[in-house]
Amino acid sequence: LIFQILFHIITPCLSTLLSWGYKNLSQEQRTEWDSRCVSTIHALVVGGLALYILWFDDPVNRDHIWGDPKLVKVNIAIASGYLINDLLLLLRHWKTLGDRFFISHHLAALYAYQCVP
């Protein structure tokens, strides 16, 4: 839901305010731009949380195998939510965003996050 709000509401509003060229883009270009903005936000959040875990999460750092991975699970949940959202966007906007390799990538990542212990 958060990624849908970012894609449909927040990114278009911020892009309109911060970039004079956004208004001149075609609908397909705006869809691509908004998708890339959401992807960047996702990468910053997940990457930032991963660095925090690496540097400051003592239970995980004390024992990489059996440490309490609460924040790791939160990070995987955020990444999984993004991947599911992006899959839906890829399917809905197939002419603009669709690519079978993106579909494969997203499904493989979801499999790894959910099914590999």
Side-chain angles (χ1 to χ4, degrees), residues 43-64:
L44 290 171
V45 169
V46 170
L49 187 53
L51 286 174
Y52 176 83
I53 292 166
L54 178 68
W55 292 333
F56 302 111
D57 193 10
D58 292 333
V60 171
N61 288 323
R62 273 194 298 272
D63 188 346
H64 295 293

PDB file of all heavy atoms in Angstrom, residues 43-64:
ATOM      1  N   ALA A  43      15.263   1.290  -2.611  1.00  0.00           N
ATOM      2  CA  ALA A  43      16.679   0.931  -2.471  1.00  0.00           C
ATOM      3  C   ALA A  43      17.330   1.700  -1.316  1.00  0.00           C
ATOM      4  O   ALA A  43      18.132   1.126  -0.565  1.00  0.00           O
ATOM      5  CB  ALA A  43      17.419   1.200  -3.774  1.00  0.00           C
ATOM      6  N   LEU A  44      17.000   2.963  -1.163  1.00  0.00           N
ATOM      7  CA  LEU A  44      17.570   3.756  -0.071  1.00  0.00           C
ATOM      8  C   LEU A  44      17.107   3.257   1.297  1.00  0.00           C
ATOM      9  O   LEU A  44      17.899   3.152   2.238  1.00  0.00           O
ATOM     10  CB  LEU A  44      17.206   5.232  -0.246  1.00  0.00           C
ATOM     11  CG  LEU A  44      17.890   5.944  -1.410  1.00  0.00           C
ATOM     12  CD1 LEU A  44      17.279   7.324  -1.625  1.00  0.00           C
ATOM     13  CD2 LEU A  44      19.390   6.042  -1.177  1.00  0.00           C
ATOM     14  N   VAL A  45      15.829   2.926   1.408  1.00  0.00           N
ATOM     15  CA  VAL A  45      15.291   2.438   2.686  1.00  0.00           C
ATOM     16  C   VAL A  45      15.883   1.077   3.035  1.00  0.00           C
ATOM     17  O   VAL A  45      16.400   0.872   4.143  1.00  0.00           O
ATOM     18  CB  VAL A  45      13.741   2.375   2.647  1.00  0.00           C
ATOM     19  CG1 VAL A  45      13.192   1.634   3.851  1.00  0.00           C
ATOM     20  CG2 VAL A  45      13.160   3.772   2.574  1.00  0.00           C
ATOM     21  N   VAL A  46      15.824   0.142   2.094  1.00  0.00           N
ATOM     22  CA  VAL A  46      16.311  -1.215   2.355  1.00  0.00           C
ATOM     23  C   VAL A  46      17.831  -1.214   2.554  1.00  0.00           C
ATOM     24  O   VAL A  46      18.347  -1.876   3.462  1.00  0.00           O
ATOM     25  CB  VAL A  46      15.876  -2.178   1.223  1.00  0.00           C
ATOM     26  CG1 VAL A  46      16.556  -3.516   1.329  1.00  0.00           C
ATOM     27  CG2 VAL A  46      14.369  -2.361   1.261  1.00  0.00           C
ATOM     28  N   GLY A  47      18.529  -0.459   1.730  1.00  0.00           N
ATOM     29  CA  GLY A  47      19.985  -0.369   1.875  1.00  0.00           C
ATOM     30  C   GLY A  47      20.388   0.287   3.182  1.00  0.00           C
ATOM     31  O   GLY A  47      21.317  -0.164   3.859  1.00  0.00           O
ATOM     32  N   GLY A  48      19.688   1.360   3.545  1.00  0.00           N
ATOM     33  CA  GLY A  48      19.973   2.027   4.814  1.00  0.00           C
ATOM     34  C   GLY A  48      19.724   1.133   6.014  1.00  0.00           C
ATOM     35  O   GLY A  48      20.531   1.083   6.954  1.00  0.00           O
ATOM     36  N   LEU A  49      18.621   0.403   5.981  1.00  0.00           N
ATOM     37  CA  LEU A  49      18.321  -0.517   7.077  1.00  0.00           C
ATOM     38  C   LEU A  49      19.340  -1.655   7.124  1.00  0.00           C
ATOM     39  O   LEU A  49      19.749  -2.077   8.204  1.00  0.00           O
ATOM     40  CB  LEU A  49      16.900  -1.061   6.941  1.00  0.00           C
ATOM     41  CG  LEU A  49      16.369  -1.907   8.104  1.00  0.00           C
ATOM     42  CD1 LEU A  49      16.515  -1.192   9.441  1.00  0.00           C
ATOM     43  CD2 LEU A  49      14.923  -2.290   7.859  1.00  0.00           C
ATOM     44  N   ALA A  50      19.776  -2.129   5.973  1.00  0.00           N
ATOM     45  CA  ALA A  50      20.799  -3.188   5.938  1.00  0.00           C
ATOM     46  C   ALA A  50      22.111  -2.696   6.551  1.00  0.00           C
ATOM     47  O   ALA A  50      22.768  -3.437   7.303  1.00  0.00           O
ATOM     48  CB  ALA A  50      21.021  -3.666   4.506  1.00  0.00           C
ATOM     49  N   LEU A  51      22.485  -1.468   6.253  1.00  0.00           N
ATOM     50  CA  LEU A  51      23.701  -0.908   6.863  1.00  0.00           C
ATOM     51  C   LEU A  51      23.542  -0.758   8.369  1.00  0.00           C
ATOM     52  O   LEU A  51      24.475  -1.038   9.136  1.00  0.00           O
ATOM     53  CB  LEU A  51      24.042   0.441   6.226  1.00  0.00           C
ATOM     54  CG  LEU A  51      24.622   0.380   4.817  1.00  0.00           C
ATOM     55  CD1 LEU A  51      24.783   1.785   4.251  1.00  0.00           C
ATOM     56  CD2 LEU A  51      25.949  -0.362   4.813  1.00  0.00           C
ATOM     57  N   TYR A  52      22.367  -0.311   8.795  1.00  0.00           N
ATOM     58  CA  TYR A  52      22.116  -0.203  10.227  1.00  0.00           C
ATOM     59  C   TYR A  52      22.259  -1.570  10.901  1.00  0.00           C
ATOM     60  O   TYR A  52      22.893  -1.687  11.959  1.00  0.00           O
ATOM     61  CB  TYR A  52      20.721   0.378  10.489  1.00  0.00           C
ATOM     62  CG  TYR A  52      20.397   0.422  11.964  1.00  0.00           C
ATOM     63  CD1 TYR A  52      20.845   1.489  12.745  1.00  0.00           C
ATOM     64  CD2 TYR A  52      19.705  -0.613  12.577  1.00  0.00           C
ATOM     65  CE1 TYR A  52      20.580   1.526  14.104  1.00  0.00           C
ATOM     66  CE2 TYR A  52      19.441  -0.589  13.928  1.00  0.00           C
ATOM     67  CZ  TYR A  52      19.880   0.487  14.693  1.00  0.00           C
ATOM     68  OH  TYR A  52      19.623   0.507  16.036  1.00  0.00           O
ATOM     69  N   ILE A  53      21.678  -2.590  10.299  1.00  0.00           N
ATOM     70  CA  ILE A  53      21.771  -3.950  10.852  1.00  0.00           C
ATOM     71  C   ILE A  53      23.232  -4.377  10.911  1.00  0.00           C
ATOM     72  O   ILE A  53      23.696  -4.915  11.919  1.00  0.00           O
ATOM     73  CB  ILE A  53      20.936  -4.932  10.004  1.00  0.00           C
ATOM     74  CG1 ILE A  53      19.441  -4.623  10.170  1.00  0.00           C
ATOM     75  CG2 ILE A  53      21.233  -6.374  10.386  1.00  0.00           C
ATOM     76  CD1 ILE A  53      18.551  -5.295   9.137  1.00  0.00           C
ATOM     77  N   LEU A  54      23.962  -4.141   9.838  1.00  0.00           N
ATOM     78  CA  LEU A  54      25.370  -4.525   9.777  1.00  0.00           C
ATOM     79  C   LEU A  54      26.192  -3.833  10.854  1.00  0.00           C
ATOM     80  O   LEU A  54      27.039  -4.451  11.493  1.00  0.00           O
ATOM     81  CB  LEU A  54      25.926  -4.199   8.383  1.00  0.00           C
ATOM     82  CG  LEU A  54      27.399  -4.489   8.147  1.00  0.00           C
ATOM     83  CD1 LEU A  54      27.639  -5.994   8.161  1.00  0.00           C
ATOM     84  CD2 LEU A  54      27.856  -3.883   6.831  1.00  0.00           C
ATOM     85  N   TRP A  55      25.935  -2.567  11.071  1.00  0.00           N
ATOM     86  CA  TRP A  55      26.755  -1.801  12.010  1.00  0.00           C
ATOM     87  C   TRP A  55      26.275  -1.854  13.456  1.00  0.00           C
ATOM     88  O   TRP A  55      27.085  -1.791  14.378  1.00  0.00           O
ATOM     89  CB  TRP A  55      26.824  -0.336  11.566  1.00  0.00           C
ATOM     90  CG  TRP A  55      27.591  -0.123  10.296  1.00  0.00           C
ATOM     91  CD1 TRP A  55      28.595  -0.890   9.792  1.00  0.00           C
ATOM     92  CD2 TRP A  55      27.400   0.936   9.358  1.00  0.00           C
ATOM     93  NE1 TRP A  55      29.032  -0.390   8.610  1.00  0.00           N
ATOM     94  CE2 TRP A  55      28.326   0.745   8.310  1.00  0.00           C
ATOM     95  CE3 TRP A  55      26.543   2.018   9.303  1.00  0.00           C
ATOM     96  CZ2 TRP A  55      28.426   1.606   7.224  1.00  0.00           C
ATOM     97  CZ3 TRP A  55      26.643   2.866   8.220  1.00  0.00           C
ATOM     98  CH2 TRP A  55      27.575   2.664   7.196  1.00  0.00           C
ATOM     99  N   PHE A  56      24.962  -1.942  13.698  1.00  0.00           N
ATOM    100  CA  PHE A  56      24.453  -1.729  15.042  1.00  0.00           C
ATOM    101  C   PHE A  56      23.584  -2.830  15.628  1.00  0.00           C
ATOM    102  O   PHE A  56      23.232  -2.742  16.800  1.00  0.00           O
ATOM    103  CB  PHE A  56      23.647  -0.416  15.092  1.00  0.00           C
ATOM    104  CG  PHE A  56      24.442   0.785  14.688  1.00  0.00           C
ATOM    105  CD1 PHE A  56      24.157   1.440  13.505  1.00  0.00           C
ATOM    106  CD2 PHE A  56      25.479   1.247  15.473  1.00  0.00           C
ATOM    107  CE1 PHE A  56      24.886   2.553  13.118  1.00  0.00           C
ATOM    108  CE2 PHE A  56      26.221   2.363  15.100  1.00  0.00           C
ATOM    109  CZ  PHE A  56      25.927   3.017  13.917  1.00  0.00           C
ATOM    110  N   ASP A  57      23.167  -3.816  14.871  1.00  0.00           N
ATOM    111  CA  ASP A  57      22.274  -4.852  15.401  1.00  0.00           C
ATOM    112  C   ASP A  57      23.101  -5.925  16.108  1.00  0.00           C
ATOM    113  O   ASP A  57      23.565  -6.890  15.500  1.00  0.00           O
ATOM    114  CB  ASP A  57      21.430  -5.452  14.290  1.00  0.00           C
ATOM    115  CG  ASP A  57      20.280  -6.297  14.820  1.00  0.00           C
ATOM    116  OD1 ASP A  57      20.027  -6.268  16.033  1.00  0.00           O
ATOM    117  OD2 ASP A  57      19.630  -6.982  14.010  1.00  0.00           O
ATOM    118  N   ASP A  58      23.271  -5.746  17.413  1.00  0.00           N
ATOM    119  CA  ASP A  58      24.149  -6.630  18.189  1.00  0.00           C
ATOM    120  C   ASP A  58      23.742  -8.100  18.167  1.00  0.00           C
ATOM    121  O   ASP A  58      24.610  -8.961  18.015  1.00  0.00           O
ATOM    122  CB  ASP A  58      24.256  -6.128  19.633  1.00  0.00           C
ATOM    123  CG  ASP A  58      25.016  -4.812  19.708  1.00  0.00           C
ATOM    124  OD1 ASP A  58      25.860  -4.568  18.825  1.00  0.00           O
ATOM    125  OD2 ASP A  58      24.748  -4.033  20.643  1.00  0.00           O
ATOM    126  N   PRO A  59      22.460  -8.458  18.319  1.00  0.00           N
ATOM    127  CA  PRO A  59      22.131  -9.893  18.290  1.00  0.00           C
ATOM    128  C   PRO A  59      22.551 -10.585  16.984  1.00  0.00           C
ATOM    129  O   PRO A  59      23.063 -11.695  17.010  1.00  0.00           O
ATOM    130  CB  PRO A  59      20.608  -9.928  18.450  1.00  0.00           C
ATOM    131  CG  PRO A  59      20.267  -8.655  19.136  1.00  0.00           C
ATOM    132  CD  PRO A  59      21.277  -7.651  18.646  1.00  0.00           C
ATOM    133  N   VAL A  60      22.364  -9.935  15.867  1.00  0.00           N
ATOM    134  CA  VAL A  60      22.755 -10.531  14.591  1.00  0.00           C
ATOM    135  C   VAL A  60      24.274 -10.556  14.456  1.00  0.00           C
ATOM    136  O   VAL A  60      24.855 -11.534  13.984  1.00  0.00           O
ATOM    137  CB  VAL A  60      22.103  -9.780  13.408  1.00  0.00           C
ATOM    138  CG1 VAL A  60      22.671 -10.231  12.077  1.00  0.00           C
ATOM    139  CG2 VAL A  60      20.598  -9.961  13.427  1.00  0.00           C
ATOM    140  N   ASN A  61      24.925  -9.504  14.883  1.00  0.00           N
ATOM    141  CA  ASN A  61      26.376  -9.432  14.738  1.00  0.00           C
ATOM    142  C   ASN A  61      27.117 -10.371  15.689  1.00  0.00           C
ATOM    143  O   ASN A  61      28.210 -10.831  15.363  1.00  0.00           O
ATOM    144  CB  ASN A  61      26.860  -7.993  14.919  1.00  0.00           C
ATOM    145  CG  ASN A  61      26.479  -7.139  13.734  1.00  0.00           C
ATOM    146  OD1 ASN A  61      26.506  -7.584  12.596  1.00  0.00           O
ATOM    147  ND2 ASN A  61      26.093  -5.903  13.992  1.00  0.00           N
ATOM    148  N   ARG A  62      26.531 -10.653  16.848  1.00  0.00           N
ATOM    149  CA  ARG A  62      27.154 -11.611  17.769  1.00  0.00           C
ATOM    150  C   ARG A  62      27.106 -13.026  17.227  1.00  0.00           C
ATOM    151  O   ARG A  62      28.029 -13.809  17.396  1.00  0.00           O
ATOM    152  CB  ARG A  62      26.472 -11.567  19.142  1.00  0.00           C
ATOM    153  CG  ARG A  62      27.055 -10.527  20.066  1.00  0.00           C
ATOM    154  CD  ARG A  62      26.595 -10.747  21.501  1.00  0.00           C
ATOM    155  NE  ARG A  62      25.155 -10.630  21.654  1.00  0.00           N
ATOM    156  CZ  ARG A  62      24.518  -9.498  21.900  1.00  0.00           C
ATOM    157  NH1 ARG A  62      25.172  -8.375  22.012  1.00  0.00           N
ATOM    158  NH2 ARG A  62      23.205  -9.481  22.024  1.00  0.00           N
ATOM    159  N   ASP A  63      25.998 -13.363  16.583  1.00  0.00           N
ATOM    160  CA  ASP A  63      25.828 -14.712  16.054  1.00  0.00           C
ATOM    161  C   ASP A  63      25.065 -14.628  14.732  1.00  0.00           C
ATOM    162  O   ASP A  63      23.848 -14.506  14.720  1.00  0.00           O
ATOM    163  CB  ASP A  63      25.069 -15.583  17.054  1.00  0.00           C
ATOM    164  CG  ASP A  63      25.018 -17.038  16.662  1.00  0.00           C
ATOM    165  OD1 ASP A  63      25.326 -17.361  15.494  1.00  0.00           O
ATOM    166  OD2 ASP A  63      24.668 -17.855  17.521  1.00  0.00           O
ATOM    167  N   HIS A  64      25.812 -14.689  13.625  1.00  0.00           N
ATOM    168  CA  HIS A  64      25.212 -14.513  12.296  1.00  0.00           C
ATOM    169  C   HIS A  64      24.208 -15.609  11.952  1.00  0.00           C
ATOM    170  O   HIS A  64      23.301 -15.389  11.156  1.00  0.00           O
ATOM    171  CB  HIS A  64      26.294 -14.463  11.223  1.00  0.00           C
ATOM    172  CG  HIS A  64      27.198 -13.282  11.349  1.00  0.00           C
ATOM    173  ND1 HIS A  64      26.768 -11.999  11.137  1.00  0.00           N
ATOM    174  CD2 HIS A  64      28.502 -13.188  11.698  1.00  0.00           C
ATOM    175  CE1 HIS A  64      27.759 -11.154  11.328  1.00  0.00           C
ATOM    176  NE2 HIS A  64      28.831 -11.848  11.679  1.00  0.00           N
TER     177      HIS A  64
END
